[in-house]
Amino acid sequence: MSVTKTLETVLQIDTNHSGTGDVSGKISDSTTGSGIANVALNLRKGINATTGTIVKTATCDSSGIFQIIGLEAGQYTAETVKANYITGYFTITAIGGITNENQNGSISPSNLTGEGIRIQLTWGQNPYDLDSHLTGPNGADGRFHVYFSNKSFVFNGETIADLDVDDTWSYEPETVTIYKQISGFYRYSIHDYSNGGSTNSSALANSGAKVTVYQGNHIVSTFDVPNNPGTLWTVFELSGTT
């Protein structure tokens, strides 16, 4: 069996930007988009470096803003730790001689129970608006569609799925939560709203988009945007725990 794995986009740093630089950013609640105070950040050198030596630490201020001074140019994995939130990870890039801003992350509250699933989308500055689309069984031989124009699906008086945050201006998280699953399959996709129906656009492919999937109090999967032109990315299908 062959498996294709898409890796995170890596920014190459030329010799003119070696040395040390500073970074700053914001840590947000993935279900509200609001900054979170007193999040602890632990930095390890490299991408997806979730274990090993911590080279720098920082703490967010009351608005969720952090700044880290004097980082050697390169990529780092930032671990985010806060009580009542799921420990998360995101990539920070330091560039010599400058302050690299908008090195943002988001973390999910540890309030998922049972079969609850949370889907968190993050991306960079461009394009400014990526949209989450979730479809699933509606309990009546049809399918529901949760997206920016229909942010919630309720069945028999119970909320099945919500678009918690609809980000329309880069950087902040966009999040969908499935609270309870009706038997059947769910499909999660991303549409590059900024570039409409342009099938030749590479903006989505170059966006650095990453999808993190939580179940219970754990990250169960991550997906990085593939390097393909177009404005629609069908990220995954879900049935039960599969």
Side-chain angles (χ1 to χ4, degrees):
M1 181 180 68
S2 63
V3 176
T4 300
K5 174 65 174 175
T6 301
L7 303 178
E8 182 174 346
T9 300
V10 178
L11 176 66
Q12 299 296 317
I13 302 171
D14 62 30
T15 55
N16 292 331
H17 294 92
S18 59
T20 61
D22 306 334
V23 298
S24 64
K26 178 182 178 181
I27 306 300
S28 302
D29 184 309
S30 67
T31 63
T32 66
S34 300
I36 310 172
N38 301 321
V39 178
L41 277 73
N42 300 316
L43 266 62
R44 298 179 175 93
K45 192 147 192 180
I47 293 176
N48 296 324
T50 58
T51 60
T53 303
I54 295 171
V55 297
K56 285 276 189 179
T57 61
T59 303
C60 294
D61 67 14
S62 60
S63 299
I65 305 297
F66 69 88
Q67 185 172 28
I68 303 172
I69 306 297
L71 277 177
E72 180 185 348
Q75 273 83 31
Y76 296 81
T77 299
E79 178 184 52
T80 51
V81 181
K82 169 81 172 178
N84 300 317
Y85 284 85
I86 301 169
T87 297
Y89 302 90
F90 68 101
T91 300
I92 282 178
T93 300
I95 300 174
I98 69 168
T99 296
N100 196 19
E101 301 176 336
N102 292 311
Q103 301 297 288
N104 301 333
S106 57
I107 53 178
S108 173
S110 54
N111 60 357
L112 290 171
T113 59
E115 57 196 8
I117 297 282
R118 180 162 292 134
I119 307 161
Q120 174 185 298
L121 165 66
T122 56
W123 71 98
Q125 183 176 6
N126 295 306
Y128 63 88
D129 190 6
L130 299 182
D131 284 326
S132 295
H133 292 259
L134 176 72
T135 66
N138 67 1
D141 297 324
R143 294 183 64 76
F144 73 80
H145 183 188
V146 165
Y147 67 116
F148 64 86
S149 288
N150 185 44
K151 295 183 177 181
S152 185
F153 171 65
V154 177
F155 179 69
N156 286 341
E158 188 172 12
T159 300
I160 302 298
D162 266 334
L163 174 62
D164 302 300
V165 178
D166 175 27
D167 176 40
T168 60
W169 199 251
S170 309
Y171 295 120
E172 301 296 343
E174 179 153 316
T175 307
V176 176
T177 301
I178 303 171
Y179 295 99
K180 182 177 181 179
Q181 293 187 48
I182 298 172
S183 180
F185 80 93
Y186 296 75
R187 179 184 292 121
Y188 176 75
S189 305
I190 293 167
H191 179 238
D192 177 4
Y193 186 86
S194 301
N195 292 286
S198 172
T199 57
N200 295 320
S201 173
S202 294
L204 175 57
N206 294 327
S207 66
K210 177 186 282 290
V211 173
T212 304
V213 183
Y214 301 86
Q215 185 169 31
N217 293 324
H218 303 282
I219 296 172
V220 294
S221 196
T222 59
F223 301 89
D224 293 289
V225 63
N227 187 25
N228 298 324
T231 57
L232 178 65
W233 174 24
T234 301
V235 186
F236 66 86
E237 292 183 350
L238 167 73
S239 180
T241 59
T242 301

